[in-house]
Amino acid sequence: MPDFKSETAQPPLTPLKENYKLKIEHPTSEIKTMEASCISYKDTGYFSQTVIDYIGDKAELRPFYNHRPDFNGFADLLKTKKVIADRKVLVEVLNEQYDIVSDQVNSNINLLTLENTYTITTGHQLNIFAGPLYFIYKIVTAVKLSRQLKEKFPDKNFVPVYWMASEDHDFAEINYTNIGGKKVHWWYEASGATGRLNPDTIREALNQYKGVLGMEQHAPELAQIVETAYSKFDKLADATRYMVNALFGQYGLVIIDADDHRFKQQFAPIMAQDITGQNSFKNISATIDQLEKLGEDIQVNPREINFFYLKEHIRERIVLEGNDYKVLNTDISFTKAELLEEIKRHPENFSPNVVMRPVYQEVILPNIAYIGGGSEIVYWLELKSNFEYYGVDFPILILRNSGLVVRKELAAKISKMSLTNADLFKSADIIKSGWVKKHSEYNLSLAEEWRELSSIFERVKLRAYKIDATLAPSAEGIQARLKDGIDNLEKKLVKAEKANFHTRLEHVEYLKNALFPKNGLQERTENFGLFYVKWGQTFIDELIRNFQPLDFEFTVLTEK
């Protein structure tokens, strides 16, 4: 059960090999290269009904969260927010974890010491080369929302935070990325927490990635960033921090690695209670029963014990067998007394899973909002009762911004075919049929003819009924078969006309393949790299400028 559905004490940041240091600063661009337009998430057809219900304020879902994701909701939360995080420890650990820091990041870390400063957090696994685009979109949403909240509540400070899922052990979910139609794969047999992995075997994938970037435009800049990230650090968590900081440090993004003894000490009392009392299992299971009765989606199911045992190269589930707590796939076991002592002395050896990680996050951060994808929002809705049980404030849930980036050459084809943004999200066959019906010199719809036939059949059914009432069902059956025949004939007319427009309709297939890889959203497959090659840091600037976190609409970004 990975931590983001999409985890010993930690020493300070591993020193750079050869004491390598580089400080990257990017001037914020004022150049506007994209035009934004929006459509509703529902109209895309790519989001679950539960997500649509949440952003649509379905009344039946309100018991599963505390505050609406709008400015009024934030105003209400800020009146009652209880920060239980140890701000001193938080700042101390963050300062140790950073080796390279921009003035903006340094300022935001220092702000965290103040009682009127809150975090806006998003989290994700340590996907190599930043994985798919939505990795970037999550962080952009956090940056933009922090700015908007500062404008709305100027007497308070809001710091965007990226929570690295450094304890997650699902290497297969992070060891590849797709860029320019090529899958770049880090082939390695890994075990344990991914954040602790040494990326010294990533060279082949690194060279492949840089090869796809090429040498033009901003490729050398990005190549330098990834080369430094994955060749100058001894841990994947530090490599990821470097890369994300190089892209987002100028916006004040603070990156946290919670795989640290001091953070786990704050969480230790809850860990002990939950492992021995199985409270999260009881609380969340009860909530799931309520959600299922409402017909809502269930994203994750809790286990009796929702913690792993974490040591070098292992992250294995803890299970209760008889009176002993055993670590699966190892010879490690504890009595209850031994377990409690281990938690007390070495809390860093315990790692929360997907349902307890959110509680851990809210314990160590002064957080008021969590930004997640659709599946994350759905499983967070299962968790409120568990937060209440442990006396931890439940944050406001923000659906991250989603986007589709349309290059100029594709925009020209879309315009030439007179397609709308909403059209793009339909299947290729539906787009083709609609286009042919619109542009054919013939009327390919048989709707009017069917209305005339229906009128005739109503008279036939009436006559049959008068002669013999039992004949009415037979007449209706004949009418239904005729309707099927008419529908099939209409499809054949459209198909025949499609053949006449074959060349033009090939553009539809090209557009769908380019913008919706494997019939999925671009953001869930394509890496940001080639967009960065084309636009450089302006790409990030444009995302921040155009994304509106509290509007809850899908953004189509078209190159000017």
Side-chain angles (χ1 to χ4, degrees):
M1 187 182 289
D3 293 351
F4 286 84
K5 280 283 182 208
S6 31
E7 308 219 302
T8 176
Q10 157 131 343
L13 179 68
T14 306
L16 285 166
K17 297 175 183 176
E18 304 172 3
N19 198 30
Y20 186 94
K21 290 191 176 184
L22 175 67
K23 185 173 182 178
I24 295 180
E25 296 284 358
H26 306 279
T28 301
S29 171
E30 297 297 329
I31 301 173
K32 297 180 180 179
T33 62
M34 297 180 184
E35 292 181 344
S37 59
C38 298
I39 64 173
S40 75
Y41 281 111
K42 183 177 182 179
D43 288 344
T44 70
Y46 282 95
F47 293 82
S48 74
Q49 187 57 49
T50 297
V51 170
I52 302 304
D53 290 344
Y54 174 68
I55 62 178
D57 195 15
K58 181 180 179 180
E60 289 82 357
L61 275 185
R62 291 175 191 164
F64 301 96
Y65 58 89
N66 287 330
H67 301 282
R68 287 298 297 160
D70 54 32
F71 287 127
N72 290 333
F74 280 105
D76 291 339
L77 175 56
L78 289 169
K79 292 175 185 176
T80 61
K81 173 64 181 175
K82 296 181 301 179
V83 175
I84 59 177
D86 188 323
R87 292 178 181 270
K88 182 179 178 181
V89 169
L90 176 61
V91 171
E92 174 185 295
V93 176
L94 287 172
N95 279 325
E96 289 181 10
Q97 290 184 349
Y98 271 91
D99 185 75
I100 301 165
V101 61
S102 67
D103 292 340
Q104 296 90 333
V105 172
N106 187 57
S107 174
N108 274 349
I109 290 176
N110 290 332
L111 283 175
L112 290 170
T113 63
L114 304 178
E115 295 300 317
N116 65 338
T117 298
Y118 304 93
T119 57
I120 306 299
T121 303
T122 190
H124 201 68
Q125 295 155 294
L126 309 183
N127 298 69
I128 62 171
F129 311 119
L133 273 164
Y134 72 83
F135 182 113
I136 300 295
Y137 293 171
K138 279 184 166 184
I139 296 174
V140 168
T141 306
V143 170
K144 182 64 172 282
L145 181 58
S146 297
R147 292 181 177 182
Q148 292 178 325
L149 289 172
K150 180 62 177 176
E151 292 176 3
K152 188 70 175 179
F153 307 102
D155 61 325
K156 297 176 174 60
N157 305 305
F158 304 92
V159 175
V161 171
Y162 163 48
W163 176 292
M164 294 194 293
S166 57
E167 296 178 37
D168 189 275
H169 63 272
D170 201 335
F171 184 66
E173 290 194 352
I174 70 164
N175 69 347
Y176 69 93
T177 195
N178 294 287
I179 178 169
K182 183 179 181 62
K183 186 173 185 178
V184 177
H185 210 125
W186 177 13
W187 297 107
Y188 178 63
E189 291 294 327
S191 61
T194 55
R196 300 180 181 184
L197 295 176
N198 191 321
D200 57 359
T201 60
I202 202 174
R203 171 51 61 184
E204 181 180 355
L206 180 57
N207 288 344
Q208 289 177 346
Y209 186 82
K210 289 164 63 179
V212 177
L213 296 181
M215 296 297 295
E216 302 299 321
Q217 297 171 291
H218 298 277
E221 177 185 344
L222 183 54
Q224 179 191 29
I225 291 172
V226 297
E227 176 68 31
T228 302
Y230 294 104
S231 69
K232 303 297 182 180
F233 292 90
D234 294 326
K235 287 175 25 178
L236 184 60
D238 297 338
T240 303
R241 180 188 293 106
Y242 178 89
M243 180 173 182
V244 175
N245 185 60
L247 296 172
F248 288 98
Q250 67 174 293
Y251 310 108
L253 178 75
V254 173
I255 304 165
I256 186 170
D257 182 356
D259 184 8
D260 188 281
H261 172 83
R262 290 158 290 183
F263 288 148
K264 293 287 179 70
Q265 278 184 317
Q266 297 175 58
F267 195 47
I270 290 178
M271 289 196 289
Q273 291 180 59
D274 206 71
I275 293 174
T276 58
Q278 300 185 3
N279 303 313
S280 58
F281 175 72
K282 300 168 188 174
N283 296 331
I284 297 168
S285 294
T287 299
I288 287 175
D289 288 342
Q290 298 173 40
L291 287 166
E292 287 181 330
K293 289 177 182 177
L294 294 175
E296 301 294 347
D297 300 316
I298 302 301
Q299 189 63 33
V300 299
N301 288 285
R303 298 188 185 278
E304 286 82 1
I305 295 177
N306 292 296
F307 285 86
F308 296 92
Y309 192 67
L310 179 65
K311 296 281 278 188
E312 200 65 30
H313 303 303
I314 69 165
R315 185 176 185 256
E316 297 286 351
R317 285 176 51 212
I318 302 169
V319 297
L320 178 61
E321 294 185 4
N323 294 320
D324 293 330
Y325 293 87
K326 297 188 176 182
V327 179
L328 290 181
N329 302 314
T330 73
D331 296 326
I332 303 171
S333 67
F334 304 95
T335 64
K336 182 177 180 180
E338 291 170 340
L339 177 79
L340 294 175
E341 183 64 18
E342 178 78 355
I343 293 173
K344 181 179 179 181
R345 295 182 61 189
H346 299 290
E348 68 275 6
N349 290 348
F350 296 84
S351 177
N353 75 357
V354 65
V355 301
M356 284 303 293
R357 188 211 64 78
V359 182
Y360 179 36
Q361 170 187 296
E362 299 303 308
V363 166
I364 69 171
L365 290 176
N367 196 53
I368 60 170
Y370 182 74
I371 294 164
S375 61
E376 290 177 279
I377 298 301
V378 171
Y379 80 67
W380 272 78
L381 290 173
E382 303 173 21
L383 307 181
K384 181 191 163 194
S385 64
N386 201 45
F387 275 76
E388 292 173 341
Y389 182 87
Y390 287 114
V392 179
D393 281 350
F394 194 71
I396 292 177
L397 303 180
I398 304 293
L399 180 65
R400 66 164 174 82
N401 282 104
S402 285
L404 174 66
V405 181
V406 182
R407 292 177 182 269
K408 188 179 297 184
E409 61 271 21
L410 296 178
K413 292 182 182 296
I414 293 169
S415 177
K416 188 174 182 179
M417 295 198 70
S418 301
L419 297 176
T420 66
N421 287 333
D423 289 334
L424 298 176
F425 290 85
K426 300 172 184 175
S427 70
D429 194 56
I430 290 176
I431 295 174
K432 290 177 183 179
S433 296
W435 191 91
V436 167
K437 288 179 180 179
K438 182 177 179 180
H439 292 86
S440 175
E441 61 181 291
Y442 308 105
N443 183 359
L444 301 178
S445 171
L446 297 178
E448 182 59 35
E449 288 77 4
W450 176 245
R451 279 193 290 271
E452 294 175 5
L453 288 171
S454 294
S455 177
I456 293 172
F457 251 93
E458 289 304 316
R459 296 198 298 271
V460 170
K461 284 193 291 183
L462 179 60
R463 184 182 301 177
Y465 180 81
K466 288 180 178 179
I467 296 172
D468 184 347
T470 62
L471 293 176
S474 296
E476 290 176 352
I478 294 171
Q479 183 180 14
R481 290 193 294 274
L482 181 59
K483 179 65 168 71
D484 289 338
I486 291 294
D487 289 343
N488 287 332
L489 178 58
E490 183 175 303
K491 290 177 182 177
K492 290 179 179 179
L493 292 174
V494 173
K495 183 178 180 180
E497 191 68 335
K498 280 182 180 179
N500 296 330
F501 288 103
H502 175 71
T503 301
R504 296 293 296 276
L505 295 181
E506 283 184 334
H507 293 319
V508 173
E509 291 291 347
Y510 177 78
L511 288 169
K512 289 294 291 185
N513 290 334
L515 296 174
F516 296 84
K518 300 177 182 177
N519 291 317
L521 291 176
Q522 177 194 68
E523 64 182 33
R524 301 200 64 82
T525 300
E526 184 66 20
N527 179 265
F528 83 104
L530 293 181
F531 297 115
Y532 194 94
V533 167
K534 184 176 181 64
W535 292 300
Q537 200 65 23
T538 299
F539 178 60
I540 307 294
D541 293 336
E542 284 290 83
L543 293 176
I544 294 173
R545 182 174 71 87
N546 287 295
F547 279 177
Q548 302 298 330
L550 300 183
D551 285 358
F552 299 113
E553 290 187 308
F554 194 105
T555 307
V556 179
L557 296 163
T558 304
E559 181 184 8
K560 290 183 179 180

